[in-house]
Amino acid sequence: MDKILEAVVMSSYPNNVKQGLVRRVIEAAKQPMDSEQCWSMLELSTKLYLTGDTKYKREVGKEVLEVYGHYHPEEFEEFFNVRFLLSLLQEGYGPLGKRSHYVLDYIQLGLQFVLESPSANSIFSLLRIEVLRKVCERPSPKQCAKISKLLTQHPQCIPTGKHQLLFCQQLIRCIGQFQCVSEGEEEIMEFLEQVNKVSGLLQRIWRTQTSAILPSLKELFTIISSTEEQEAPSNALASVVQFVPLELMDGVIRNLTNDDSITDVQMMMAIGRMIDWVSWPLGKNIDKWIIALLKGLAAVKKFSILIEVTLSKIEKVFSKLLYPIVREGALSVLQYMLLSFQHSHEAFHLLLPHIPRLVASLKKENSNSATSSLEQLAELIHCMFFRFSGFPDLYEPVLEAVKALPIPNEDRIKHLLGQNAWTSQKNELANFYPRLASKSETGKIGLINLGNTCYMNSIIQSLFMASDFRHSVLNLTEGNSQPLMTKLQWLFAFLEHSQRPAISPESFLSASWPPWFTPGAQQDCSEYLKYLLDRLHEEEKTGKRIYQKLKESSLMSQAVEHHYLNKTLIEKMFGGKMMTKIRCLKCLNVSSREEAFTDLSLAFPPSDRNVRGNTSVLPVEEIGPQFIEPPENAGQLMDSPWIQRKAPMASDHAAPSVSVETLGFQEPGEAANPIGGNDVGVDAAKDPLSTFREQACAPKDSRSVPDLINYFLSPERLTAENKYHCEKCASLQDAEKVAELTEGPHYLILTLLRFSFDPRTMKRKKILDNVSIPVVLKLPILVAPEETEDVCQRGKDGAVPGSGFMTVVYDLCSVVVHSGISSESGHYYCYSRECTDTIPHGQPRDGAPKPASDKQLDFEIQWYLFNDTRVSFSSFESVSNVTSFFPKDTAYVLFYRQRPGRQSCLLHEALAEAGRLHGEPSLHKDLMEAISKDNILFLQEQEKEARNRAAYISALPKSPLWWRDLDRDKDDDSSSGGCSPAAGGGGSGSFHGLVF
């Protein structure tokens, strides 16, 4: 029979023909039949109901199921068993990817036939667990409505005990995520019906279990008060509040407004979202709850919250008066907001441009609702005219719009204003503004430590102080394709413009958190920096390209523009390139590979030597307090012993050594001492690399950054177990490997590899060697011959004609310090300064750059110490001596900024020019508004703190002050300063004098 039914349903006969055949099959099913035949028919009808692609097939499946439920109850009960239902609920029904959406309807249909069966209790127990699980998975409004319909029809399936409370809370969470995906009238009505079914289930549960109401409301408040950056909860939550008994209102509001664990930000978020509920068309008593909460906040003097919420929401509430279905509730809320906001005209004046249009619209509507609303609105407007007179030019259009409407008498106006006023406390609060706490005296802002997050704070502050990078980030506009970069932009913007002494980077931390990091544990700041830069780079690569101001600049040729516009911001700012060459010592064949880097990880040389083997291709030198320049005669470097030892590489130009230096300050043409002491002569015939070794090879316990870079760049022998497989020799051979920098990054990041694994203790130990940090660093960069020639013709410093290398100068801008003896513990802080171009604005671009003055280059440029929330002034002397004073505090990550004009790359000049042309970046409107609001909030928080302090001091006994005679000199009895009653412009009862 099942085959016949399936053939009929699937046939192409007209529906009336198929319906007659189906009716015969259904009639035949009412007769007794064997169990196997029943199972076959039940399986077919289940298939038709759950996976039928037409309404007709599902109707046939439903009719067959009902027939077998009525006439073959034993077989139906055996088929509709717990295991089958569990499979349906957990695994679904139908092919993978096309699971049936009618499982809950199917279960609801079948339950009616097993209510009296022995297996009913087992099925109910299963469904109690499964509906809770389903709700925790946040189903769609449609599926939630089906769950609610099932539980409303079969309340035995509602979870009980603690599970019932959890079910209510999770159901509220679901409602908070409901969204109507269509704007069509039918779809909106269907959505509203679904929400009503779900909230109706809550009402049913609350009626039978009143103890579930308050925990449910607590969950609701948690949702609407959440300050996390995410999509706002659905206004459908209004449907939950309408079923809360009004007799609970006073207790609930009193508990909320007096709960110290609820922050002002959370309360503002909650009341703001509740006010948004006035747009919910089917909500009852929503306006009563909103007004009750506003009054509760006024009762506990939380005026700052009321001010912020009123100014941010009053226009939205006013706009809802256009819609009859929500007009009554919106008008009630608007009346209270305006009548209570009496300390300033700001709220009323926000509405002035909108009032004439609304009045005209209501007059045109010509309904009882519109007429009543017009009269109430006119009364409200006249109350505001009375309270805030003196603006005839602003009020004239409004007065013209409402002139035909009734005018309330003065007694009525005074009654309304007196009944709804907060207090007159606003005038007292104004006294606090001049003395509010603000940023540190440095003008910089700290970052709050969120639990061993100093590693992130130090990196963020270092990146922020990299001014070119900061300006580029703040100028970004394509935030939608770069969510992490957008969060960094917001964080930078707040660090730039916030009035707070310190801000919380919680949102950025959650977005940039490496997944393998352990929450709450100390982490490696270098590892975090690498991960962050890589994330930002990959995000931009896969999203829209950022063009910045470079495309607008006419300084770049088309080829150069194309080259750099294809780079990501991270590549432009931190990206460099390095060539690794390996030379087989048997056949002298050379293989090379160029790769990009964003930082150089510098290992420490073994304790028995300062460099690996001989010196590097281009020894690095430093410029600190000493004045060091490259030797005048480049030929001296050409004849160095290293060049003689290093045979010319195949198809490779002879590479003379160029020094990596730390620079001093001197005018062009001034004789320089390559060692550093002006009173020490240098023998011109002496090998300059030997001279450099005498300088670089300091005592074993004293190293410098150039030592570590030289060690990094020095040739490495590949022998024994590290032999190199030469493709030309087709065997393992001794070889020599050398790294050469081919493109210097705009910002050079150096990581000192202080943490090494100790196999004896199976832990990472820290190298505590002091490393001297040059304030200016010269770095050798390998360039193509044509580039070298071009650089020399343009007069750039440090290029050796025909050598293939040029010198690029870097200025130190940040030092991240690790304090401690292990990477898994300790503390991070950083020293930073603003590094900017030292080329005067009016200098010709084609001339040789003028050298910077000492003040521009070095020690008189202000340094800052960033230590989480604390920011203070510092100096390069403090940076240099920190390890001397505190042996466990060692430099770990260094940021250097490349000076313009040292490398044949126009990117740096374009960046500098863009900075001069455009100045400080202008932030987009949303970001500026967010900062402005947060600054207002900070002032409100300060007001609250001041009020609390004032209330506490006011409660203290004013006389006698037993300590006064002990602290005051008798000679000062007549003084009006200090703490005397006359101080502050008033006696002992002076409010201002008491607080300050």
Side-chain angles (χ1 to χ4, degrees):
M1 188 179 295
D2 58 303
K3 300 296 183 184
I4 297 173
L5 179 61
E6 185 174 15
V8 169
V9 172
M10 300 299 177
S11 69
S12 58
Y13 294 134
N15 277 349
N16 58 340
V17 176
K18 289 197 287 187
Q19 189 63 39
L21 296 173
V22 168
R23 182 57 51 195
R24 292 184 183 181
V25 172
I26 290 176
E27 288 298 324
K30 296 179 181 179
Q31 305 303 318
M33 61 179 61
D34 60 77
S35 177
E36 184 177 349
Q37 183 62 48
C38 285
W39 269 74
S40 298
M41 288 296 289
L42 287 170
E43 287 176 347
L44 175 61
S45 58
T46 298
K47 178 181 176 182
L48 290 173
Y49 187 89
L50 291 177
T51 62
D53 54 0
T54 64
K55 185 177 180 181
Y56 173 74
K57 292 178 182 177
R58 291 195 296 273
E59 286 294 332
V60 170
K62 178 182 177 183
E63 288 184 40
V64 173
L65 284 170
E66 289 174 337
V67 167
Y68 278 83
H70 280 297
Y71 295 94
H72 306 280
E74 293 181 2
E75 287 79 7
F76 189 92
E77 180 185 349
E78 184 180 356
F79 178 82
F80 199 78
N81 59 67
V82 170
R83 181 176 297 179
F84 175 58
L85 295 183
L86 181 63
S87 172
L88 284 179
L89 289 166
Q90 292 192 353
E91 299 174 13
Y93 190 94
L96 194 63
K98 294 184 179 180
R99 297 300 193 191
S100 174
H101 299 294
Y102 301 97
V103 169
L104 291 170
D105 306 86
Y106 176 83
I107 292 175
Q108 182 181 342
L109 175 65
L111 274 178
Q112 59 183 313
F113 303 113
V114 296
L115 294 177
E116 305 298 328
S117 69
S119 63
N121 288 334
S122 299
I123 293 175
F124 294 154
S125 297
L126 169 69
L127 290 176
R128 290 187 199 109
I129 296 172
E130 285 301 306
V131 294
L132 176 58
R133 182 185 63 81
K134 284 279 187 185
V135 169
C136 290
E137 292 175 352
R138 305 289 181 267
S140 65
K142 188 174 183 179
Q143 290 299 309
C144 247
K146 289 182 177 181
I147 293 174
S148 301
K149 183 179 178 182
L150 170 65
L151 299 185
T152 301
Q153 186 171 343
H154 301 288
Q156 308 97 316
C157 302
I158 296 175
T160 57
K162 293 181 178 179
H163 286 171
Q164 185 178 89
L165 179 58
L166 179 60
F167 178 77
C168 291
Q169 292 172 329
Q170 293 301 318
L171 202 57
I172 292 173
R173 287 271 175 189
C174 284
I175 297 174
Q177 295 187 1
F178 284 178
Q179 297 295 336
C180 186
V181 296
S182 175
E183 295 182 358
E185 184 175 346
E186 291 184 6
E187 288 80 5
I188 291 175
M189 294 304 297
E190 183 183 3
F191 175 74
L192 293 176
E193 184 180 353
Q194 292 164 355
V195 174
N196 274 350
K197 285 182 180 178
V198 179
S199 56
L201 174 62
L202 278 172
Q203 182 190 26
R204 181 187 182 96
I205 295 174
W206 288 349
R207 280 178 178 172
T208 58
Q209 196 70 32
T210 55
S211 60
I213 297 178
L214 291 181
S216 299
L217 289 182
K218 184 177 180 182
E219 188 71 15
L220 173 65
F221 186 84
T222 300
I223 296 171
I224 64 175
S225 65
S226 173
T227 56
E228 297 177 4
E229 292 188 5
Q230 57 185 10
E231 189 175 356
S234 171
N235 287 342
L237 287 170
S239 65
V240 176
V241 176
Q242 66 180 336
F243 295 122
V244 180
L246 292 180
E247 54 265 26
L248 296 179
M249 181 183 289
D250 289 342
V252 170
I253 297 299
R254 187 166 54 250
N255 288 338
L256 281 178
T257 53
N258 289 281
D259 189 343
D260 293 335
S261 66
I262 300 173
T263 67
D264 286 1
V265 180
Q266 290 174 319
M267 184 62 76
M268 274 193 287
M269 190 68 72
I271 186 64
R273 287 168 173 169
M274 285 182 67
I275 290 173
D276 290 342
W277 292 350
V278 297
S279 61
W280 185 252
L282 302 178
K284 298 177 182 177
N285 302 325
I286 302 301
D287 57 326
K288 294 183 176 64
W289 279 95
I290 294 171
I291 294 170
L293 184 52
L294 292 172
K295 288 182 175 179
L297 291 171
V300 294
K301 315 299 182 188
K302 294 186 177 180
F303 306 124
S304 299
I305 298 175
L306 294 167
I307 293 169
E308 174 67 14
V309 166
T310 301
L311 293 177
S312 63
K313 294 294 182 180
I314 195 165
E315 289 179 281
K316 186 171 185 177
V317 174
F318 185 84
S319 69
K320 302 305 174 186
L321 299 182
L322 288 168
Y323 308 102
I325 194 169
V326 298
R327 182 178 294 151
E328 182 180 356
L331 185 56
S332 296
V333 175
L334 178 71
Q335 285 175 321
Y336 180 76
M337 292 175 81
L338 271 182
L339 290 171
S340 62
F341 201 93
Q342 296 183 27
H343 65 280
S344 167
H345 54 72
E346 191 174 0
F348 177 52
H349 284 192
L350 287 174
L351 303 181
L352 293 180
H354 313 297
I355 291 175
R357 290 196 297 270
L358 176 67
V359 171
S361 177
L362 292 177
K363 286 180 177 178
K364 186 178 180 180
E365 184 180 312
N366 194 26
S367 66
N368 291 337
S369 169
T371 302
S372 174
S373 297
L374 273 174
E375 292 177 355
Q376 295 179 65
L377 183 61
E379 185 179 71
L380 188 58
I381 290 171
H382 284 289
C383 286
M384 294 297 100
F385 284 167
F386 180 87
R387 180 68 183 84
F388 305 117
S389 58
F391 301 91
D393 54 330
L394 295 177
Y395 293 166
E396 185 176 351
V398 178
L399 196 58
E400 179 68 23
V402 299
K403 65 181 181 181
L405 297 171
I407 301 175
N409 59 43
E410 188 172 326
D411 289 338
R412 170 66 177 169
I413 290 175
K414 289 181 177 178
H415 170 74
L416 288 173
L417 291 173
Q419 186 181 41
N420 293 282
W422 293 337
T423 66
S424 58
Q425 292 282 335
K426 183 62 182 176
N427 293 332
E428 295 178 0
L429 294 179
N431 294 327
F432 293 95
Y433 283 117
R435 298 172 181 264
L436 290 177
S438 187
K439 300 179 185 178
S440 74
E441 59 181 353
T442 65
K444 305 296 181 184
I445 299 175
L447 290 169
I448 296 171
N449 192 315
L450 302 172
N452 279 329
T453 58
C454 53
Y455 67 91
M456 178 191 71
N457 291 349
S458 300
I459 292 300
I460 293 301
Q461 294 286 19
S462 298
L463 292 174
F464 177 78
M465 293 296 285
S467 55
D468 296 329
F469 178 63
R470 178 178 75 243
H471 290 168
S472 297
V473 171
L474 292 176
N475 271 319
L476 293 178
T477 56
E478 298 179 358
N480 293 335
S481 62
Q482 301 179 68
L484 183 58
M485 184 67 81
T486 300
K487 287 184 179 294
L488 182 62
Q489 184 186 49
W490 278 62
L491 184 56
F492 277 7
F494 273 81
L495 285 173
E496 184 93 7
H497 298 287
S498 178
Q499 293 299 312
R500 296 179 182 272
I503 60 175
S504 171
E506 183 175 6
S507 176
F508 187 77
L509 173 65
S510 61
S512 64
W513 181 274
W516 61 89
F517 275 17
T518 304
Q522 186 59 277
Q523 306 293 344
D524 188 327
C525 74
S526 172
E527 186 178 3
Y528 173 77
L529 174 60
K530 288 183 176 69
Y531 177 79
L532 174 61
L533 295 182
D534 184 61
R535 277 276 309 276
L536 294 171
H537 168 69
E538 292 299 327
E539 186 178 82
E540 185 177 350
K541 274 182 62 179
T542 56
K544 296 176 70 176
R545 294 299 181 197
I546 299 178
Y547 286 85
Q548 292 293 92
K549 304 294 183 180
L550 297 180
K551 191 173 183 180
E552 302 171 6
S553 173
S554 60
L555 301 174
M556 301 169 63
S557 67
Q558 291 297 320
V560 175
E561 178 182 353
H562 177 75
H563 175 66
Y564 282 104
L565 292 184
N566 284 334
K567 285 191 171 187
T568 66
L569 178 60
I570 298 304
E571 287 177 312
K572 294 172 188 174
M573 290 294 165
F574 304 102
K577 290 184 180 179
M578 179 192 309
M579 181 75 72
T580 303
K581 298 179 180 179
I582 302 179
R583 182 182 61 181
C584 174
L585 295 181
K586 181 178 180 182
C587 67
L588 302 183
N589 181 56
V590 176
S591 63
S592 60
R593 181 187 64 194
E594 188 176 53
E595 54 189 353
F597 67 87
T598 53
D599 79 315
L600 297 180
S601 299
L602 306 179
F604 282 69
S607 57
D608 59 342
R609 53 180 175 168
N610 280 344
V611 293
R612 184 191 311 139
N614 294 308
T615 187
S616 62
V617 176
L618 299 173
V620 183
E621 296 182 13
E622 60 184 299
I623 303 176
Q626 303 165 333
F627 300 175
I628 305 171
E629 284 294 331
E632 291 182 18
N633 184 2
Q636 293 176 4
L637 294 178
M638 299 286 286
D639 298 331
S640 71
W642 188 89
I643 297 298
Q644 294 172 1
R645 177 185 64 81
K646 179 182 177 183
M649 296 184 178
S651 66
D652 205 26
H653 296 285
S657 282
V658 180
S659 57
V660 180
E661 305 174 60
T662 59
L663 301 180
F665 323 113
Q666 59 187 63
E667 296 296 327
E670 182 176 306
N673 182 346
I675 301 179
N678 290 335
D679 58 343
V680 180
V682 180
D683 185 355
K686 185 175 181 181
D687 178 8
L689 291 179
S690 300
T691 302
F692 174 76
R693 292 189 197 103
E694 293 175 9
Q695 173 195 325
C697 296
K700 292 181 179 179
D701 60 348
S702 176
R703 301 185 186 278
S704 68
V705 170
D707 290 339
L708 303 187
I709 299 179
N710 286 330
Y711 181 59
F712 178 83
L713 296 176
S714 61
E716 176 186 3
R717 284 295 184 98
L718 304 178
T719 60
E721 295 180 356
N722 292 327
K723 282 188 176 183
Y724 165 68
H725 185 273
C726 176
E727 294 184 358
K728 190 172 182 180
C729 299
S731 61
L732 294 174
Q733 298 292 338
D734 289 347
E736 188 176 59
K737 181 172 75 172
V738 67
E740 296 169 340
L741 301 178
T742 58
E743 184 179 316
H746 188 65
Y747 283 99
L748 173 67
I749 302 175
L750 303 176
T751 302
L752 311 187
L753 298 179
R754 291 188 172 276
F755 302 109
S756 60
F757 184 74
D758 188 347
R760 293 177 298 174
T761 61
M762 301 300 290
K763 292 182 180 179
R764 294 176 74 192
K765 66 178 182 179
K766 181 178 178 181
I767 301 172
L768 296 173
D769 294 5
N770 190 5
V771 177
S772 65
I773 304 169
V775 70
V776 182
L777 185 71
K778 275 189 174 180
L779 209 60
I781 302 296
L782 179 67
V783 293
E786 59 272 15
E787 290 182 277
T788 307
E789 183 178 350
D790 177 63
V791 169
C792 292
Q793 289 174 355
R794 294 174 60 189
K796 305 301 182 183
D797 294 343
V800 182
S803 69
F805 285 92
M806 64 174 293
T807 300
V808 177
V809 182
Y810 284 90
D811 295 306
L812 180 68
C813 53
S814 289
V815 178
V816 178
V817 176
H818 177 262
S819 176
I821 58 173
S822 167
S823 62
E824 288 82 19
S825 62
H827 179 63
Y828 288 99
Y829 56 91
C830 76
Y831 294 93
S832 291
R833 65 170 180 166
E834 292 273 3
C835 281
T836 55
D837 294 341
T838 57
I839 301 176
H841 291 190
Q843 179 177 314
R845 305 202 59 84
D846 56 351
K850 297 179 181 179
S853 68
D854 292 5
K855 180 175 181 180
Q856 287 173 314
L857 254 180
D858 192 12
F859 304 106
E860 294 185 30
I861 297 178
Q862 184 61 62
W863 283 85
Y864 303 93
L865 172 58
F866 296 89
N867 197 335
D868 288 336
T869 56
R870 186 173 182 272
V871 186
S872 56
F873 290 114
S874 189
S875 64
F876 182 68
E877 184 180 7
S878 298
V879 179
S880 303
N881 296 330
V882 63
T883 306
S884 302
F885 294 145
F886 307 100
K888 291 189 293 185
D889 292 27
T890 53
Y892 185 37
V893 179
L894 313 177
F895 287 74
Y896 282 88
R897 179 184 184 272
Q898 183 184 143
R899 287 192 195 169
R902 294 299 195 265
Q903 193 175 0
S904 58
C905 169
L906 294 177
L907 172 65
H908 312 301
E909 298 178 10
L911 284 170
E913 185 67 20
R916 288 194 291 271
L917 291 175
H918 303 283
E920 286 298 314
S922 58
L923 306 178
H924 58 80
K925 183 181 177 182
D926 291 345
L927 186 47
M928 282 303 299
E929 288 180 354
I931 295 170
S932 178
K933 287 182 179 180
D934 186 69
N935 286 338
I936 292 172
L937 175 59
F938 172 64
L939 295 179
Q940 292 168 350
E941 291 169 353
Q942 293 297 296
E943 293 171 13
K944 181 180 179 181
E945 183 180 348
R947 290 198 301 274
N948 291 340
R949 187 164 63 247
Y952 171 74
I953 295 176
S954 298
L956 295 177
K958 297 179 178 60
S959 180
L961 299 179
W962 60 269
W963 65 85
R964 176 166 292 172
D965 291 336
L966 299 176
D967 292 340
R968 188 175 56 186
D969 250 340
K970 293 182 180 179
D971 295 337
D972 296 331
D973 284 347
S974 60
S975 170
S976 62
C979 297
S980 69
S988 61
S990 168
F991 185 78
H992 186 273
L994 281 172
V995 178
F996 299 108

